[in-house]
Amino acid sequence: QVHLVESGGGAVQTGGSLRLSCTFSGGGYPYNFLGWVRQAPGKEREGVATISTNGRSAYVADSVKDRFTVSRDNTKNTVYLQMNSLKPEDTAIYYCAASSRAWTSSILLPEEYNFWGQGTQVTVSS
């Protein structure tokens, strides 16, 4: 089992920044990618970013590409999502997720993740 715990969400104004963290634990299940998925009120889940186990491959959704950055620190078992220039449309619950997919050349879809954290709320006001 993989255990994922998100933190760092909150309320900010338009143009502000937040850094989400996801601490992961549990090595019994093979997973090769970690990522961030968000779900806005009344909308389907949307993949935001994906990063490989070693951090060498990272993908960010086109909708946030110039503003969000995904990274990881394996010494701390933590994955980060740095979010800059936040907009009201970024308001959502952000989930950390793990995938056992062997390989990908692009951001993973929400249905391609096997394990999920509880989520952290991000609210951006205008």
Side-chain angles (χ1 to χ4, degrees):
Q1 282 281 358
V2 176
H3 189 54
L4 306 166
V5 180
E6 304 96 335
S7 62
V12 297
Q13 293 186 328
T14 297
S17 297
L18 285 172
R19 187 177 78 160
L20 305 183
S21 299
C22 171
T23 302
F24 55 91
S25 61
Y29 189 89
Y31 59 94
N32 298 310
F33 294 93
L34 289 170
W36 292 93
V37 175
R38 68 184 181 184
Q39 186 166 25
K43 296 188 177 181
E44 295 184 352
R45 290 187 174 184
E46 173 192 17
V48 177
T50 300
I51 189 166
S52 61
T53 301
N54 59 16
R56 294 176 183 173
S57 298
Y59 310 98
V60 180
D62 289 341
S63 59
V64 301
K65 196 170 186 176
D66 296 328
R67 302 183 293 119
F68 291 10
T69 303
V70 62
S71 61
R72 65 189 295 162
D73 184 345
N74 286 340
T75 65
K76 297 180 179 179
N77 283 0
T78 302
V79 175
Y80 303 99
L81 183 68
Q82 178 66 46
M83 305 186 295
N84 299 325
S85 302
L86 283 163
K87 304 175 181 179
E89 51 262 45
D90 295 318
T91 295
I93 299 175
Y94 284 71
Y95 298 91
C96 181
S99 173
S100 62
R101 280 186 64 90
W103 179 82
T104 184
S105 61
S106 63
I107 188 170
L108 293 179
L109 299 173
E111 56 265 32
E112 294 178 305
Y113 291 101
N114 306 97
F115 292 96
W116 296 79
Q118 292 298 309
T120 185
Q121 177 70 47
V122 171
T123 302
V124 185
S125 59
S126 57

